Amino acid sequence: MKFFVDTADIHEIEELAATGLIDGVTTNPSLIAKSGKEFVPLIKDICKIVNGPVSAEVAATDFETMRKEAEVLRNIANNVTIKVPLTPAGLKLCKLLSHDDTKVNVTLCFSAAQAILAAKAGAAFVSPFVGRLDDISMNGMQLIEDIVKIYKNYPAYKTEVLVASIRSPMHITQAAKMGAQVITAPPSVIQQLFKHPLTDQGLAAFVEDWNKSGQTILKD
Ligand code: E4P
């Protein structure tokens, strides 16, 4: 399973990239606005930190302007993935860019029918938003199960399921059980994955016992 980090905060990306466990980055217009940084140079900097796909989203909603924006974004670096909304114009652009070997992440997916359209448009990734579905009392993870199952029925679809809008480690383990290829999560949720109280307790006991033994591994 690939792990993407869902942030435009360069320090958080650097910190997580240093673990060697981060395969890519996703951003969106809200995260860019929150960063307070200029979009294009910021994406350029992120692309230097992480070798894998970095999703940069078009801001316009009409096809012609989206197309021009995508042109600017894909020239930033080889690892930029163009993120487009799941609208008729977004899917039309997805089809065009995918045909041209540019990776596209179709975002704001909330139904299995929309995910089928994204696959037909040649998307490299489809991003179903599980947390936002849970927020309105729907079952976000059920959508992931449905999409994974549907895509398996059509091996010609090359689209990877990128589970987005993740709120907790539980979303990630469930997504892994279902066979989703990628998750994108905020840094705080990725940090939670490392944690278990028994790990902390066990380590404290090992350190204490080791210190009592008076031994050292490194001899100068
Ligand atoms: C995905 O690409 C989106 O940036 C993100 O996962 C949205 O998450 P949110 O619902 O927490 O804003």
Side-chain angles (χ1 to χ4, degrees):
M1 171 177 256
K2 283 175 274 194
F3 275 29
F4 292 178
V5 59
D6 195 31
T7 183
D9 183 314
I10 212 93
H11 300 296
E12 289 179 324
I13 295 169
E14 276 172 340
E15 193 186 345
L16 280 168
T19 65
L21 300 173
I22 296 302
D23 305 295
V25 175
T26 52
T27 66
N28 64 38
S30 305
L31 292 171
I32 297 293
K34 190 175 156 203
S35 79
K37 301 258 172 67
E38 204 188 322
F39 187 24
V40 170
L42 177 58
I43 295 294
K44 196 172 192 169
D45 287 345
I46 296 174
C47 286
K48 283 184 203 148
I49 301 169
V50 176
N51 292 329
V54 173
S55 287
E57 187 163 343
V58 294
T61 53
D62 68 286
F63 175 75
E64 262 319 311
T65 318
M66 279 162 80
R67 194 182 57 76
K68 287 178 193 154
E69 289 177 347
E71 201 49 39
V72 172
L73 298 177
R74 76 170 167 178
N75 283 327
I76 296 176
N78 287 337
N79 55 332
V80 167
T81 291
I82 306 297
K83 206 171 174 191
V84 302
L86 207 153
T87 59
L91 291 179
K92 183 176 166 186
L93 183 59
C94 175
K95 181 95 188 172
L96 189 83
L97 292 172
S98 309
H99 196 69
D100 214 10
D101 276 344
T102 297
K103 278 191 174 167
V104 180
N105 174 0
V106 176
T107 190
L108 292 168
C109 172
F110 292 95
S111 78
Q114 289 181 317
I116 295 170
L117 290 175
K120 281 183 70 67
F125 306 102
V126 66
S127 292
F129 279 33
V130 296
R132 292 193 195 186
L133 281 170
D134 291 352
D135 290 346
I136 58 160
S137 298
M138 292 186 72
N139 187 341
M141 292 313 298
Q142 183 59 55
L143 175 60
I144 302 305
E145 195 175 323
D146 291 346
I147 299 173
V148 169
K149 191 172 171 195
I150 291 168
Y151 281 6
K152 274 194 184 139
N153 288 340
Y154 298 93
Y157 288 168
K158 298 294 174 233
T159 308
E160 295 191 329
V161 181
L162 197 177
V163 182
S165 186
I166 280 179
R167 305 273 194 260
S168 77
M170 192 78 90
H171 278 147
I172 299 176
T173 49
Q174 285 175 347
K177 279 187 186 171
M178 290 168 184
Q181 292 88 351
V182 197
I183 59 93
T184 189
S188 58
V189 175
I190 295 182
Q191 298 288 2
Q192 283 179 58
L193 292 173
F194 291 90
K195 304 276 180 202
H196 196 288
L198 291 179
T199 304
D200 296 341
Q201 251 179 53
L203 184 59
F206 286 159
V207 169
E208 197 185 331
D209 290 344
W210 181 253
N211 288 342
K212 277 189 215 150
S213 81
Q215 298 194 55
T216 57
I217 296 172
L218 304 175
K219 320 275 180 201
D220 28 60

